[in-house]
mmCIF file of all heavy atoms in Angstrom:
data_model
loop_
_atom_site.group_PDB
_atom_site.id
_atom_site.type_symbol
_atom_site.label_atom_id
_atom_site.label_comp_id
_atom_site.label_asym_id
_atom_site.label_seq_id
_atom_site.Cartn_x
_atom_site.Cartn_y
_atom_site.Cartn_z
ATOM 1 N N MET A 1102 -19.930 -5.734 -51.370
ATOM 2 C CA MET A 1102 -20.270 -4.972 -52.552
ATOM 3 C C MET A 1102 -21.521 -4.127 -52.334
ATOM 4 O O MET A 1102 -21.672 -3.087 -52.967
ATOM 5 C CB MET A 1102 -20.473 -5.914 -53.739
ATOM 6 C CG MET A 1102 -19.189 -6.524 -54.285
ATOM 7 S SD MET A 1102 -18.008 -5.301 -54.866
ATOM 8 C CE MET A 1102 -18.851 -4.611 -56.260
ATOM 9 N N SER A 1103 -22.410 -4.582 -51.472
ATOM 10 C CA SER A 1103 -23.630 -3.796 -51.269
ATOM 11 C C SER A 1103 -23.324 -2.462 -50.600
ATOM 12 O O SER A 1103 -23.936 -1.446 -50.926
ATOM 13 C CB SER A 1103 -24.651 -4.586 -50.453
ATOM 14 O OG SER A 1103 -24.178 -4.825 -49.151
ATOM 15 N N TRP A 1104 -22.368 -2.465 -49.654
ATOM 16 C CA TRP A 1104 -22.003 -1.196 -49.005
ATOM 17 C C TRP A 1104 -21.357 -0.243 -50.000
ATOM 18 O O TRP A 1104 -21.634 0.958 -49.997
ATOM 19 C CB TRP A 1104 -21.059 -1.438 -47.829
ATOM 20 C CG TRP A 1104 -21.768 -1.922 -46.621
ATOM 21 C CD1 TRP A 1104 -21.786 -3.205 -46.148
ATOM 22 C CD2 TRP A 1104 -22.574 -1.158 -45.734
ATOM 23 N NE1 TRP A 1104 -22.554 -3.277 -45.023
ATOM 24 C CE2 TRP A 1104 -23.058 -2.024 -44.731
ATOM 25 C CE3 TRP A 1104 -22.950 0.173 -45.679
ATOM 26 C CZ2 TRP A 1104 -23.876 -1.598 -43.705
ATOM 27 C CZ3 TRP A 1104 -23.763 0.590 -44.649
ATOM 28 C CH2 TRP A 1104 -24.215 -0.290 -43.689
ATOM 29 N N ALA A 1105 -20.493 -0.777 -50.838
ATOM 30 C CA ALA A 1105 -19.823 0.072 -51.824
ATOM 31 C C ALA A 1105 -20.826 0.643 -52.828
ATOM 32 O O ALA A 1105 -20.787 1.827 -53.166
ATOM 33 C CB ALA A 1105 -18.743 -0.714 -52.551
ATOM 34 N N SER A 1106 -21.739 -0.193 -53.301
ATOM 35 C CA SER A 1106 -22.746 0.272 -54.256
ATOM 36 C C SER A 1106 -23.678 1.305 -53.623
ATOM 37 O O SER A 1106 -24.034 2.305 -54.257
ATOM 38 C CB SER A 1106 -23.572 -0.911 -54.766
ATOM 39 O OG SER A 1106 -22.753 -1.812 -55.459
ATOM 40 N N SER A 1107 -24.080 1.055 -52.391
ATOM 41 C CA SER A 1107 -24.949 2.010 -51.701
ATOM 42 C C SER A 1107 -24.239 3.342 -51.477
ATOM 43 O O SER A 1107 -24.826 4.412 -51.654
ATOM 44 C CB SER A 1107 -25.408 1.445 -50.356
ATOM 45 O OG SER A 1107 -26.168 0.281 -50.546
ATOM 46 N N GLY A 1108 -22.978 3.282 -51.079
ATOM 47 C CA GLY A 1108 -22.202 4.500 -50.866
ATOM 48 C C GLY A 1108 -22.008 5.288 -52.140
ATOM 49 O O GLY A 1108 -22.113 6.524 -52.143
ATOM 50 N N MET A 1109 -21.739 4.593 -53.241
ATOM 51 C CA MET A 1109 -21.566 5.289 -54.510
ATOM 52 C C MET A 1109 -22.872 5.917 -54.979
ATOM 53 O O MET A 1109 -22.885 7.037 -55.494
ATOM 54 C CB MET A 1109 -21.008 4.335 -55.562
ATOM 55 C CG MET A 1109 -19.565 3.966 -55.302
ATOM 56 S SD MET A 1109 -18.918 2.771 -56.468
ATOM 57 C CE MET A 1109 -19.091 3.620 -58.000
ATOM 58 N N GLY A 1110 -23.973 5.209 -54.788
ATOM 59 C CA GLY A 1110 -25.271 5.760 -55.174
ATOM 60 C C GLY A 1110 -25.632 6.981 -54.354
ATOM 61 O O GLY A 1110 -26.102 7.995 -54.889
ATOM 62 N N ALA A 1111 -25.407 6.896 -53.046
ATOM 63 C CA ALA A 1111 -25.708 8.037 -52.176
ATOM 64 C C ALA A 1111 -24.799 9.217 -52.491
ATOM 65 O O ALA A 1111 -25.251 10.368 -52.525
ATOM 66 C CB ALA A 1111 -25.566 7.635 -50.708
ATOM 67 N N GLY A 1112 -23.523 8.944 -52.728
ATOM 68 C CA GLY A 1112 -22.589 10.020 -53.055
ATOM 69 C C GLY A 1112 -22.919 10.698 -54.372
ATOM 70 O O GLY A 1112 -22.832 11.925 -54.493
ATOM 71 N N THR A 1113 -23.325 9.911 -55.351
ATOM 72 C CA THR A 1113 -23.712 10.475 -56.642
ATOM 73 C C THR A 1113 -24.959 11.338 -56.504
ATOM 74 O O THR A 1113 -25.050 12.426 -57.087
ATOM 75 C CB THR A 1113 -23.955 9.351 -57.659
ATOM 76 O OG1 THR A 1113 -22.761 8.580 -57.783
ATOM 77 C CG2 THR A 1113 -24.349 9.890 -59.012
ATOM 78 N N THR A 1114 -25.902 10.872 -55.708
ATOM 79 C CA THR A 1114 -27.138 11.632 -55.502
ATOM 80 C C THR A 1114 -26.867 12.955 -54.800
ATOM 81 O O THR A 1114 -27.319 14.018 -55.249
ATOM 82 C CB THR A 1114 -28.133 10.800 -54.677
ATOM 83 O OG1 THR A 1114 -28.403 9.587 -55.383
ATOM 84 C CG2 THR A 1114 -29.419 11.550 -54.444
ATOM 85 N N VAL A 1115 -26.126 12.909 -53.708
ATOM 86 C CA VAL A 1115 -25.818 14.127 -52.957
ATOM 87 C C VAL A 1115 -24.955 15.077 -53.794
ATOM 88 O O VAL A 1115 -25.190 16.282 -53.826
ATOM 89 C CB VAL A 1115 -25.132 13.784 -51.614
ATOM 90 C CG1 VAL A 1115 -24.603 15.025 -50.926
ATOM 91 C CG2 VAL A 1115 -26.092 13.046 -50.708
ATOM 92 N N GLY A 1116 -23.965 14.537 -54.469
ATOM 93 C CA GLY A 1116 -23.091 15.371 -55.288
ATOM 94 C C GLY A 1116 -23.816 16.011 -56.463
ATOM 95 O O GLY A 1116 -23.605 17.189 -56.764
ATOM 96 N N GLY A 1117 -24.675 15.247 -57.126
ATOM 97 C CA GLY A 1117 -25.436 15.802 -58.247
ATOM 98 C C GLY A 1117 -26.392 16.895 -57.808
ATOM 99 O O GLY A 1117 -26.500 17.947 -58.449
ATOM 100 N N PHE A 1118 -27.076 16.651 -56.697
ATOM 101 C CA PHE A 1118 -27.995 17.659 -56.173
ATOM 102 C C PHE A 1118 -27.244 18.924 -55.754
ATOM 103 O O PHE A 1118 -27.610 20.034 -56.120
ATOM 104 C CB PHE A 1118 -28.779 17.102 -54.990
ATOM 105 C CG PHE A 1118 -29.583 18.143 -54.263
ATOM 106 C CD1 PHE A 1118 -30.769 18.585 -54.782
ATOM 107 C CD2 PHE A 1118 -29.130 18.680 -53.077
ATOM 108 C CE1 PHE A 1118 -31.523 19.549 -54.129
ATOM 109 C CE2 PHE A 1118 -29.860 19.646 -52.414
ATOM 110 C CZ PHE A 1118 -31.062 20.084 -52.935
ATOM 111 N N SER A 1119 -26.167 18.740 -54.981
ATOM 112 C CA SER A 1119 -25.419 19.891 -54.468
ATOM 113 C C SER A 1119 -24.764 20.678 -55.598
ATOM 114 O O SER A 1119 -24.793 21.913 -55.608
ATOM 115 C CB SER A 1119 -24.340 19.433 -53.483
ATOM 116 O OG SER A 1119 -24.920 18.735 -52.415
ATOM 117 N N GLY A 1120 -24.164 19.967 -56.544
ATOM 118 C CA GLY A 1120 -23.516 20.650 -57.663
ATOM 119 C C GLY A 1120 -24.501 21.400 -58.539
ATOM 120 O O GLY A 1120 -24.238 22.524 -58.965
ATOM 121 N N GLY A 1121 -25.661 20.802 -58.809
ATOM 122 C CA GLY A 1121 -26.672 21.470 -59.612
ATOM 123 C C GLY A 1121 -27.237 22.693 -58.914
ATOM 124 O O GLY A 1121 -27.432 23.748 -59.533
ATOM 125 N N TRP A 1122 -27.504 22.538 -57.634
ATOM 126 C CA TRP A 1122 -28.032 23.663 -56.850
ATOM 127 C C TRP A 1122 -27.037 24.819 -56.828
ATOM 128 O O TRP A 1122 -27.408 25.974 -57.042
ATOM 129 C CB TRP A 1122 -28.342 23.194 -55.436
ATOM 130 C CG TRP A 1122 -28.887 24.248 -54.544
ATOM 131 C CD1 TRP A 1122 -30.178 24.670 -54.451
ATOM 132 C CD2 TRP A 1122 -28.144 25.035 -53.608
ATOM 133 N NE1 TRP A 1122 -30.292 25.665 -53.514
ATOM 134 C CE2 TRP A 1122 -29.052 25.909 -52.974
ATOM 135 C CE3 TRP A 1122 -26.807 25.086 -53.236
ATOM 136 C CZ2 TRP A 1122 -28.650 26.817 -52.008
ATOM 137 C CZ3 TRP A 1122 -26.420 25.983 -52.274
ATOM 138 C CH2 TRP A 1122 -27.337 26.847 -51.665
ATOM 139 N N LEU A 1123 -25.757 24.497 -56.589
ATOM 140 C CA LEU A 1123 -24.741 25.539 -56.525
ATOM 141 C C LEU A 1123 -24.507 26.178 -57.887
ATOM 142 O O LEU A 1123 -24.340 27.396 -57.989
ATOM 143 C CB LEU A 1123 -23.441 24.947 -55.963
ATOM 144 C CG LEU A 1123 -22.375 25.926 -55.533
ATOM 145 C CD1 LEU A 1123 -22.887 26.808 -54.403
ATOM 146 C CD2 LEU A 1123 -21.140 25.173 -55.064
ATOM 147 N N ALA A 1124 -24.514 25.382 -58.945
ATOM 148 C CA ALA A 1124 -24.315 25.934 -60.291
ATOM 149 C C ALA A 1124 -25.452 26.851 -60.696
ATOM 150 O O ALA A 1124 -25.230 27.872 -61.363
ATOM 151 C CB ALA A 1124 -24.166 24.799 -61.295
ATOM 152 N N ASP A 1125 -26.669 26.513 -60.293
ATOM 153 C CA ASP A 1125 -27.809 27.380 -60.608
ATOM 154 C C ASP A 1125 -27.699 28.721 -59.908
ATOM 155 O O ASP A 1125 -28.160 29.738 -60.423
ATOM 156 C CB ASP A 1125 -29.124 26.718 -60.194
ATOM 157 C CG ASP A 1125 -29.553 25.630 -61.149
ATOM 158 O OD1 ASP A 1125 -29.018 25.591 -62.274
ATOM 159 O OD2 ASP A 1125 -30.409 24.819 -60.760
ATOM 160 N N ARG A 1126 -27.131 28.747 -58.735
ATOM 161 C CA ARG A 1126 -27.106 29.981 -57.955
ATOM 162 C C ARG A 1126 -25.839 30.812 -58.130
ATOM 163 O O ARG A 1126 -25.893 32.028 -58.013
ATOM 164 C CB ARG A 1126 -27.315 29.654 -56.481
ATOM 165 C CG ARG A 1126 -28.784 29.450 -56.169
ATOM 166 C CD ARG A 1126 -29.037 28.517 -55.028
ATOM 167 N NE ARG A 1126 -30.456 28.264 -54.838
ATOM 168 C CZ ARG A 1126 -31.201 27.492 -55.601
ATOM 169 N NH1 ARG A 1126 -30.689 26.923 -56.654
ATOM 170 N NH2 ARG A 1126 -32.475 27.284 -55.338
ATOM 171 N N THR A 1127 -24.708 30.160 -58.361
ATOM 172 C CA THR A 1127 -23.457 30.924 -58.406
ATOM 173 C C THR A 1127 -22.668 30.761 -59.692
ATOM 174 O O THR A 1127 -21.732 31.511 -59.931
ATOM 175 C CB THR A 1127 -22.545 30.524 -57.234
ATOM 176 O OG1 THR A 1127 -22.209 29.138 -57.356
ATOM 177 C CG2 THR A 1127 -23.208 30.778 -55.907
ATOM 178 N N GLY A 1128 -22.955 29.767 -60.484
ATOM 179 C CA GLY A 1128 -22.200 29.526 -61.704
ATOM 180 C C GLY A 1128 -21.416 28.227 -61.622
ATOM 181 O O GLY A 1128 -21.300 27.601 -60.570
ATOM 182 N N SER A 1129 -20.863 27.835 -62.743
ATOM 183 C CA SER A 1129 -20.213 26.533 -62.815
ATOM 184 C C SER A 1129 -18.893 26.467 -62.058
ATOM 185 O O SER A 1129 -18.497 25.394 -61.600
ATOM 186 C CB SER A 1129 -19.983 26.148 -64.271
ATOM 187 O OG SER A 1129 -19.121 27.088 -64.894
ATOM 188 N N GLY A 1130 -18.207 27.568 -61.908
ATOM 189 C CA GLY A 1130 -16.913 27.558 -61.218
ATOM 190 C C GLY A 1130 -17.026 27.080 -59.781
ATOM 191 O O GLY A 1130 -16.222 26.274 -59.313
ATOM 192 N N ALA A 1131 -18.036 27.557 -59.080
ATOM 193 C CA ALA A 1131 -18.229 27.133 -57.693
ATOM 194 C C ALA A 1131 -18.611 25.665 -57.617
ATOM 195 O O ALA A 1131 -18.215 24.959 -56.688
ATOM 196 C CB ALA A 1131 -19.302 27.993 -57.029
ATOM 197 N N ALA A 1132 -19.365 25.170 -58.597
ATOM 198 C CA ALA A 1132 -19.747 23.759 -58.601
ATOM 199 C C ALA A 1132 -18.519 22.869 -58.798
ATOM 200 O O ALA A 1132 -18.429 21.792 -58.201
ATOM 201 C CB ALA A 1132 -20.789 23.499 -59.683
ATOM 202 N N PHE A 1133 -17.570 23.297 -59.618
ATOM 203 C CA PHE A 1133 -16.339 22.526 -59.786
ATOM 204 C C PHE A 1133 -15.537 22.504 -58.488
ATOM 205 O O PHE A 1133 -14.958 21.480 -58.124
ATOM 206 C CB PHE A 1133 -15.491 23.076 -60.935
ATOM 207 C CG PHE A 1133 -16.057 22.769 -62.293
ATOM 208 C CD1 PHE A 1133 -16.341 23.789 -63.178
ATOM 209 C CD2 PHE A 1133 -16.307 21.472 -62.683
ATOM 210 C CE1 PHE A 1133 -16.861 23.521 -64.421
ATOM 211 C CE2 PHE A 1133 -16.828 21.179 -63.932
ATOM 212 C CZ PHE A 1133 -17.114 22.210 -64.802
ATOM 213 N N TRP A 1134 -15.491 23.608 -57.774
ATOM 214 C CA TRP A 1134 -14.781 23.626 -56.487
ATOM 215 C C TRP A 1134 -15.481 22.747 -55.458
ATOM 216 O O TRP A 1134 -14.844 22.169 -54.589
ATOM 217 C CB TRP A 1134 -14.625 25.051 -55.974
ATOM 218 C CG TRP A 1134 -13.482 25.740 -56.629
ATOM 219 C CD1 TRP A 1134 -13.548 26.754 -57.524
ATOM 220 C CD2 TRP A 1134 -12.094 25.438 -56.466
ATOM 221 N NE1 TRP A 1134 -12.275 27.103 -57.927
ATOM 222 C CE2 TRP A 1134 -11.371 26.316 -57.298
ATOM 223 C CE3 TRP A 1134 -11.388 24.505 -55.708
ATOM 224 C CZ2 TRP A 1134 -9.977 26.280 -57.382
ATOM 225 C CZ3 TRP A 1134 -9.996 24.475 -55.799
ATOM 226 C CH2 TRP A 1134 -9.320 25.359 -56.618
ATOM 227 N N LEU A 1135 -16.792 22.643 -55.564
ATOM 228 C CA LEU A 1135 -17.521 21.747 -54.670
ATOM 229 C C LEU A 1135 -17.051 20.307 -54.854
ATOM 230 O O LEU A 1135 -16.892 19.570 -53.878
ATOM 231 C CB LEU A 1135 -19.023 21.851 -54.933
ATOM 232 C CG LEU A 1135 -19.923 20.998 -54.045
ATOM 233 C CD1 LEU A 1135 -19.914 21.548 -52.621
ATOM 234 C CD2 LEU A 1135 -21.327 20.952 -54.600
ATOM 235 N N CYS A 1136 -16.781 19.908 -56.087
ATOM 236 C CA CYS A 1136 -16.256 18.564 -56.358
ATOM 237 C C CYS A 1136 -14.899 18.363 -55.691
ATOM 238 O O CYS A 1136 -14.620 17.296 -55.142
ATOM 239 C CB CYS A 1136 -16.124 18.338 -57.863
ATOM 240 S SG CYS A 1136 -17.687 18.307 -58.733
ATOM 241 N N VAL A 1137 -14.066 19.375 -55.741
ATOM 242 C CA VAL A 1137 -12.747 19.290 -55.107
ATOM 243 C C VAL A 1137 -12.890 19.133 -53.598
ATOM 244 O O VAL A 1137 -12.223 18.297 -52.977
ATOM 245 C CB VAL A 1137 -11.901 20.536 -55.452
ATOM 246 C CG1 VAL A 1137 -10.607 20.555 -54.655
ATOM 247 C CG2 VAL A 1137 -11.611 20.591 -56.941
ATOM 248 N N VAL A 1138 -13.787 19.904 -52.999
ATOM 249 C CA VAL A 1138 -13.993 19.831 -51.544
ATOM 250 C C VAL A 1138 -14.545 18.467 -51.146
ATOM 251 O O VAL A 1138 -14.070 17.849 -50.187
ATOM 252 C CB VAL A 1138 -14.922 20.974 -51.078
ATOM 253 C CG1 VAL A 1138 -15.343 20.798 -49.633
ATOM 254 C CG2 VAL A 1138 -14.233 22.311 -51.269
ATOM 255 N N PHE A 1139 -15.561 17.974 -51.871
ATOM 256 C CA PHE A 1139 -16.129 16.662 -51.561
ATOM 257 C C PHE A 1139 -15.097 15.552 -51.752
ATOM 258 O O PHE A 1139 -15.044 14.600 -50.989
ATOM 259 C CB PHE A 1139 -17.350 16.380 -52.427
ATOM 260 C CG PHE A 1139 -18.628 16.995 -51.927
ATOM 261 C CD1 PHE A 1139 -19.788 16.863 -52.649
ATOM 262 C CD2 PHE A 1139 -18.679 17.712 -50.740
ATOM 263 C CE1 PHE A 1139 -20.983 17.413 -52.206
ATOM 264 C CE2 PHE A 1139 -19.854 18.278 -50.287
ATOM 265 C CZ PHE A 1139 -21.012 18.125 -51.020
ATOM 266 N N GLY A 1140 -14.262 15.675 -52.785
ATOM 267 C CA GLY A 1140 -13.212 14.679 -53.003
ATOM 268 C C GLY A 1140 -12.192 14.667 -51.882
ATOM 269 O O GLY A 1140 -11.762 13.612 -51.425
ATOM 270 N N ALA A 1141 -11.782 15.847 -51.434
ATOM 271 C CA ALA A 1141 -10.833 15.933 -50.324
ATOM 272 C C ALA A 1141 -11.445 15.373 -49.043
ATOM 273 O O ALA A 1141 -10.768 14.678 -48.272
ATOM 274 C CB ALA A 1141 -10.397 17.384 -50.109
ATOM 275 N N ALA A 1142 -12.727 15.637 -48.824
ATOM 276 C CA ALA A 1142 -13.400 15.090 -47.637
ATOM 277 C C ALA A 1142 -13.463 13.567 -47.714
ATOM 278 O O ALA A 1142 -13.226 12.869 -46.707
ATOM 279 C CB ALA A 1142 -14.801 15.671 -47.509
ATOM 280 N N ALA A 1143 -13.761 13.026 -48.885
ATOM 281 C CA ALA A 1143 -13.816 11.572 -49.043
ATOM 282 C C ALA A 1143 -12.448 10.938 -48.813
ATOM 283 O O ALA A 1143 -12.336 9.888 -48.161
ATOM 284 C CB ALA A 1143 -14.338 11.208 -50.434
ATOM 285 N N LEU A 1144 -11.398 11.552 -49.331
ATOM 286 C CA LEU A 1144 -10.050 11.028 -49.098
ATOM 287 C C LEU A 1144 -9.666 11.081 -47.625
ATOM 288 O O LEU A 1144 -9.049 10.151 -47.104
ATOM 289 C CB LEU A 1144 -9.034 11.817 -49.931
ATOM 290 C CG LEU A 1144 -9.021 11.513 -51.414
ATOM 291 C CD1 LEU A 1144 -8.067 12.468 -52.137
ATOM 292 C CD2 LEU A 1144 -8.620 10.082 -51.665
ATOM 293 N N THR A 1145 -10.039 12.155 -46.945
ATOM 294 C CA THR A 1145 -9.741 12.277 -45.519
ATOM 295 C C THR A 1145 -10.473 11.212 -44.718
ATOM 296 O O THR A 1145 -9.882 10.569 -43.845
ATOM 297 C CB THR A 1145 -10.133 13.680 -45.012
ATOM 298 O OG1 THR A 1145 -9.408 14.651 -45.774
ATOM 299 C CG2 THR A 1145 -9.827 13.842 -43.537
ATOM 300 N N ILE A 1146 -11.738 11.003 -45.025
ATOM 301 C CA ILE A 1146 -12.506 9.973 -44.310
ATOM 302 C C ILE A 1146 -11.925 8.595 -44.570
ATOM 303 O O ILE A 1146 -11.768 7.787 -43.643
ATOM 304 C CB ILE A 1146 -13.991 10.043 -44.726
ATOM 305 C CG1 ILE A 1146 -14.620 11.320 -44.190
ATOM 306 C CG2 ILE A 1146 -14.755 8.819 -44.229
ATOM 307 C CD1 ILE A 1146 -15.987 11.618 -44.763
ATOM 308 N N ALA A 1147 -11.580 8.301 -45.816
ATOM 309 C CA ALA A 1147 -11.009 6.994 -46.142
ATOM 310 C C ALA A 1147 -9.656 6.807 -45.473
ATOM 311 O O ALA A 1147 -9.348 5.719 -44.965
ATOM 312 C CB ALA A 1147 -10.871 6.839 -47.654
ATOM 313 N N TRP A 1148 -8.843 7.844 -45.453
ATOM 314 C CA TRP A 1148 -7.521 7.734 -44.834
ATOM 315 C C TRP A 1148 -7.647 7.488 -43.334
ATOM 316 O O TRP A 1148 -6.960 6.644 -42.772
ATOM 317 C CB TRP A 1148 -6.721 9.008 -45.103
ATOM 318 C CG TRP A 1148 -5.381 9.002 -44.453
ATOM 319 C CD1 TRP A 1148 -4.288 8.284 -44.840
ATOM 320 C CD2 TRP A 1148 -5.000 9.719 -43.284
ATOM 321 N NE1 TRP A 1148 -3.249 8.529 -43.991
ATOM 322 C CE2 TRP A 1148 -3.657 9.406 -43.011
ATOM 323 C CE3 TRP A 1148 -5.666 10.604 -42.445
ATOM 324 C CZ2 TRP A 1148 -2.981 9.936 -41.938
ATOM 325 C CZ3 TRP A 1148 -4.984 11.134 -41.379
ATOM 326 C CH2 TRP A 1148 -3.658 10.795 -41.136
ATOM 327 N N ARG A 1149 -8.548 8.222 -42.680
ATOM 328 C CA ARG A 1149 -8.734 8.048 -41.231
ATOM 329 C C ARG A 1149 -9.328 6.685 -40.913
ATOM 330 O O ARG A 1149 -9.024 6.101 -39.887
ATOM 331 C CB ARG A 1149 -9.595 9.164 -40.662
ATOM 332 C CG ARG A 1149 -8.861 10.489 -40.631
ATOM 333 C CD ARG A 1149 -9.616 11.576 -39.921
ATOM 334 N NE ARG A 1149 -10.084 11.233 -38.601
ATOM 335 C CZ ARG A 1149 -9.384 11.408 -37.474
ATOM 336 N NH1 ARG A 1149 -8.178 11.919 -37.544
ATOM 337 N NH2 ARG A 1149 -9.888 11.085 -36.311
ATOM 338 N N ALA A 1150 -10.192 6.177 -41.783
ATOM 339 C CA ALA A 1150 -10.817 4.878 -41.538
ATOM 340 C C ALA A 1150 -9.813 3.735 -41.682
ATOM 341 O O ALA A 1150 -9.958 2.704 -41.026
ATOM 342 C CB ALA A 1150 -11.986 4.670 -42.488
ATOM 343 N N THR A 1151 -8.803 3.917 -42.512
ATOM 344 C CA THR A 1151 -7.843 2.838 -42.735
ATOM 345 C C THR A 1151 -6.559 3.004 -41.936
ATOM 346 O O THR A 1151 -5.743 2.095 -41.908
ATOM 347 C CB THR A 1151 -7.487 2.728 -44.226
ATOM 348 O OG1 THR A 1151 -6.955 3.976 -44.677
ATOM 349 C CG2 THR A 1151 -8.704 2.356 -45.044
ATOM 350 N N SER A 1152 -6.368 4.158 -41.293
ATOM 351 C CA SER A 1152 -5.161 4.322 -40.492
ATOM 352 C C SER A 1152 -5.323 3.550 -39.192
ATOM 353 O O SER A 1152 -6.403 3.482 -38.615
ATOM 354 C CB SER A 1152 -4.878 5.800 -40.216
ATOM 355 O OG SER A 1152 -5.858 6.340 -39.358
ATOM 356 N N GLY A 1153 -4.258 2.955 -38.720
ATOM 357 C CA GLY A 1153 -4.322 2.109 -37.543
ATOM 358 C C GLY A 1153 -4.461 2.870 -36.238
ATOM 359 O O GLY A 1153 -4.897 2.321 -35.230
ATOM 360 N N SER A 1154 -4.149 4.159 -36.206
ATOM 361 C CA SER A 1154 -4.142 4.890 -34.951
ATOM 362 C C SER A 1154 -5.543 5.169 -34.406
ATOM 363 O O SER A 1154 -5.756 5.151 -33.211
ATOM 364 C CB SER A 1154 -3.389 6.212 -35.112
ATOM 365 O OG SER A 1154 -4.028 7.012 -36.076
ATOM 366 N N ASP A 1155 -6.523 5.410 -35.271
ATOM 367 C CA ASP A 1155 -7.873 5.750 -34.822
ATOM 368 C C ASP A 1155 -8.840 4.570 -34.935
ATOM 369 O O ASP A 1155 -10.033 4.732 -34.713
ATOM 370 C CB ASP A 1155 -8.428 6.914 -35.638
ATOM 371 C CG ASP A 1155 -7.724 8.213 -35.321
ATOM 372 O OD1 ASP A 1155 -7.085 8.285 -34.270
ATOM 373 O OD2 ASP A 1155 -7.818 9.139 -36.130
ATOM 374 N N ALA A 1156 -8.344 3.412 -35.296
ATOM 375 C CA ALA A 1156 -9.238 2.297 -35.599
ATOM 376 C C ALA A 1156 -9.858 1.694 -34.350
ATOM 377 O O ALA A 1156 -10.938 1.125 -34.408
ATOM 378 C CB ALA A 1156 -8.482 1.236 -36.372
ATOM 379 N N GLY A 1157 -9.209 1.784 -33.220
ATOM 380 C CA GLY A 1157 -9.777 1.252 -31.983
ATOM 381 C C GLY A 1157 -9.512 -0.230 -31.792
ATOM 382 O O GLY A 1157 -8.811 -0.864 -32.595
ATOM 383 N N PRO A 1158 -10.061 -0.815 -30.765
ATOM 384 C CA PRO A 1158 -9.772 -2.211 -30.450
ATOM 385 C C PRO A 1158 -10.332 -3.198 -31.469
ATOM 386 O O PRO A 1158 -9.849 -4.310 -31.574
ATOM 387 C CB PRO A 1158 -10.411 -2.415 -29.078
ATOM 388 C CG PRO A 1158 -11.399 -1.336 -28.935
ATOM 389 C CD PRO A 1158 -10.917 -0.207 -29.771
ATOM 390 N N ALA A 1159 -11.360 -2.831 -32.207
ATOM 391 C CA ALA A 1159 -11.955 -3.761 -33.162
ATOM 392 C C ALA A 1159 -10.984 -4.085 -34.293
ATOM 393 O O ALA A 1159 -11.076 -5.152 -34.906
ATOM 394 C CB ALA A 1159 -13.241 -3.181 -33.726
ATOM 395 N N ALA A 1160 -10.053 -3.212 -34.595
ATOM 396 C CA ALA A 1160 -9.124 -3.430 -35.693
ATOM 397 C C ALA A 1160 -7.904 -4.241 -35.261
ATOM 398 O O ALA A 1160 -7.109 -4.640 -36.099
ATOM 399 C CB ALA A 1160 -8.675 -2.107 -36.278
ATOM 400 N N GLN A 1161 -7.757 -4.479 -33.977
ATOM 401 C CA GLN A 1161 -6.609 -5.229 -33.475
ATOM 402 C C GLN A 1161 -6.815 -6.728 -33.719
ATOM 403 O O GLN A 1161 -7.898 -7.242 -33.504
ATOM 404 C CB GLN A 1161 -6.415 -4.974 -31.979
ATOM 405 C CG GLN A 1161 -6.214 -3.515 -31.629
ATOM 406 C CD GLN A 1161 -4.984 -2.920 -32.287
ATOM 407 O OE1 GLN A 1161 -3.971 -3.587 -32.438
ATOM 408 N NE2 GLN A 1161 -5.079 -1.655 -32.671
ATOM 409 N N PRO A 1162 -5.779 -7.426 -34.175
ATOM 410 C CA PRO A 1162 -5.940 -8.868 -34.384
ATOM 411 C C PRO A 1162 -6.073 -9.589 -33.037
ATOM 412 O O PRO A 1162 -5.552 -9.131 -32.033
ATOM 413 C CB PRO A 1162 -4.634 -9.258 -35.100
ATOM 414 C CG PRO A 1162 -3.667 -8.186 -34.766
ATOM 415 C CD PRO A 1162 -4.487 -6.934 -34.545
ATOM 416 N N PRO A 1163 -6.804 -10.702 -33.020
ATOM 417 C CA PRO A 1163 -6.951 -11.431 -31.772
ATOM 418 C C PRO A 1163 -5.618 -12.002 -31.302
ATOM 419 O O PRO A 1163 -4.770 -12.351 -32.115
ATOM 420 C CB PRO A 1163 -7.945 -12.546 -32.114
ATOM 421 C CG PRO A 1163 -7.966 -12.639 -33.590
ATOM 422 C CD PRO A 1163 -7.521 -11.303 -34.121
ATOM 423 N N ALA A 1164 -5.452 -12.079 -30.015
ATOM 424 C CA ALA A 1164 -4.189 -12.567 -29.445
ATOM 425 C C ALA A 1164 -4.125 -14.075 -29.425
ATOM 426 O O ALA A 1164 -5.053 -14.781 -29.451
ATOM 427 C CB ALA A 1164 -4.023 -12.039 -28.031
#
């Protein structure tokens, strides 16, 4: 739970900062697209982390 809580806190901090900065400079539309991009990146990272092909020897069950 500590990793999940830390990740959510860091993601909220980075997302809030980035979205606010972008909205101040370009408007709210670009900030909404930033959320879509960050969400797609998070899904890609999660999918690659849980797929068995890139997991390496550590994910293999012991023989």
Side-chain angles (χ1 to χ4, degrees):
M1102 287 300 293
S1103 65
W1104 282 104
S1106 297
S1107 298
M1109 289 177 60
T1113 301
T1114 301
V1115 171
F1118 171 78
S1119 301
W1122 180 83
L1123 193 62
D1125 284 344
R1126 279 151 185 75
T1127 62
S1129 62
F1133 287 123
W1134 279 110
L1135 182 70
C1136 294
V1137 172
V1138 170
F1139 278 177
L1144 285 174
T1145 302
I1146 291 169
W1148 177 74
R1149 289 187 52 89
T1151 58
S1152 68
S1154 61
D1155 290 342
Q1161 302 299 324

